[in-house]
Amino acid sequence: MRRVEHPDGRVEYTNIAPQQKAEVVSTYYKYRNANGVLSFSDEKPAGVKYEVIRFDCFACTVDSGVNWETTPLFTDRYRETIDDIAARHGVDKALVRAIIHAESAFNAQARSRVGAQGLMQLMPQTATELGVSNPFDPEQNVDGGVRYLAMLLERYNKNTRLATAAYNAGPGAVQEYGGVPPYAETQAYVKRVAILHRRYQMAQ
């Protein structure tokens, strides 16, 4: 029996060999299989179009040295833009701030190593689907990201934990695992967004 400690503090005992467990992977591939089903894999699929899903956002590093309970908040950055767009799409502005903080630490010019862009770290394909022509424009980026977040919140009946997991790992991964995927990065992200969300609510 092996003891496994997860990023959220849960302890699990298992008799599954380590090589059978999912490793910490920084890149996943999103694609549709031969039957048209949305799929995710940590191995690059052959013969199909795919999108790279990244796990290198500000809050995704599993062994981050940031104290999420005390790290300074960015309550005034893009305040009017965030407040207006969050209200327009019916999303809690504190949650929007938490996602932006987790994704880019409020850096509008942030670009991940695989190309996610701007405040809410939109992948180019996602930005295109959302009609975002300039992902480095704060207003366009936040509007696209919040519209996507609103869709996820509707899909998961306002469950912010599942919506934020899907924002990070994709809805297909949440569906596959029936909840927050067992990716260390995603579990860390969900926990940290929840902390930031609570703190931004208190700071409003």
Side-chain angles (χ1 to χ4, degrees):
M1 191 67 74
R2 204 163 53 83
R3 182 180 187 274
V4 179
E5 186 168 349
H6 295 277
D8 61 3
R10 291 181 300 110
V11 175
E12 174 188 6
Y13 292 91
T14 177
N15 58 5
I16 299 175
Q19 61 268 25
Q20 293 175 275
K21 298 289 283 184
E23 298 294 329
V24 175
V25 179
S26 60
T27 303
Y28 290 84
Y29 301 91
K30 171 183 172 183
Y31 63 98
R32 293 195 178 274
N33 66 18
N35 297 320
V37 176
L38 189 63
S39 304
F40 294 81
S41 173
D42 58 0
E43 295 182 5
K44 187 181 294 186
V48 295
K49 290 184 178 179
Y50 60 85
E51 179 181 349
V52 178
I53 305 296
R54 84 286 178 276
F55 291 106
D56 59 347
C57 65
F58 181 62
C60 296
T61 305
V62 176
D63 58 355
S64 168
V66 174
N67 183 331
W68 301 95
E69 291 287 358
T70 60
T71 190
L73 301 180
F74 301 101
T75 53
D76 292 325
R77 288 194 193 175
Y78 308 106
R79 175 184 285 274
E80 189 174 331
T81 296
I82 292 169
D83 289 356
D84 289 350
I85 291 172
R88 185 187 313 155
H89 300 298
V91 176
D92 180 5
K93 59 189 178 183
L95 179 60
V96 175
R97 286 190 170 87
I99 294 285
I100 292 173
H101 193 143
E103 289 288 338
S104 68
F106 282 78
N107 177 3
Q109 300 304 309
R111 184 194 297 265
S112 80
R113 60 191 168 80
V114 294
Q117 301 167 330
L119 289 170
M120 299 192 76
Q121 288 291 276
L122 303 177
M123 290 296 288
Q125 181 181 328
T126 303
T128 299
E129 291 171 357
L130 293 166
V132 176
S133 60
N134 180 5
F136 296 109
D137 175 78
E139 189 162 348
Q140 285 194 47
N141 188 287
V142 173
D143 184 69
V146 172
R147 279 188 285 122
Y148 181 54
L149 183 58
M151 288 187 283
L152 294 174
L153 286 164
E154 182 177 358
R155 176 172 182 157
Y156 299 112
N157 298 312
K158 307 297 183 185
N159 185 318
T160 56
R161 190 165 178 269
L162 293 182
T164 55
Y167 194 94
N168 176 262
V174 172
Q175 180 177 338
E176 179 182 351
Y177 291 101
V180 178
Y183 310 145
E185 296 91 341
T186 302
Q187 292 184 1
Y189 177 89
V190 169
K191 179 181 179 182
R192 291 161 183 173
V193 167
I195 293 170
L196 292 168
H197 184 197
R198 170 175 49 77
R199 293 184 62 209
Y200 276 109
Q201 283 181 318
M202 293 172 63
Q204 288 181 164

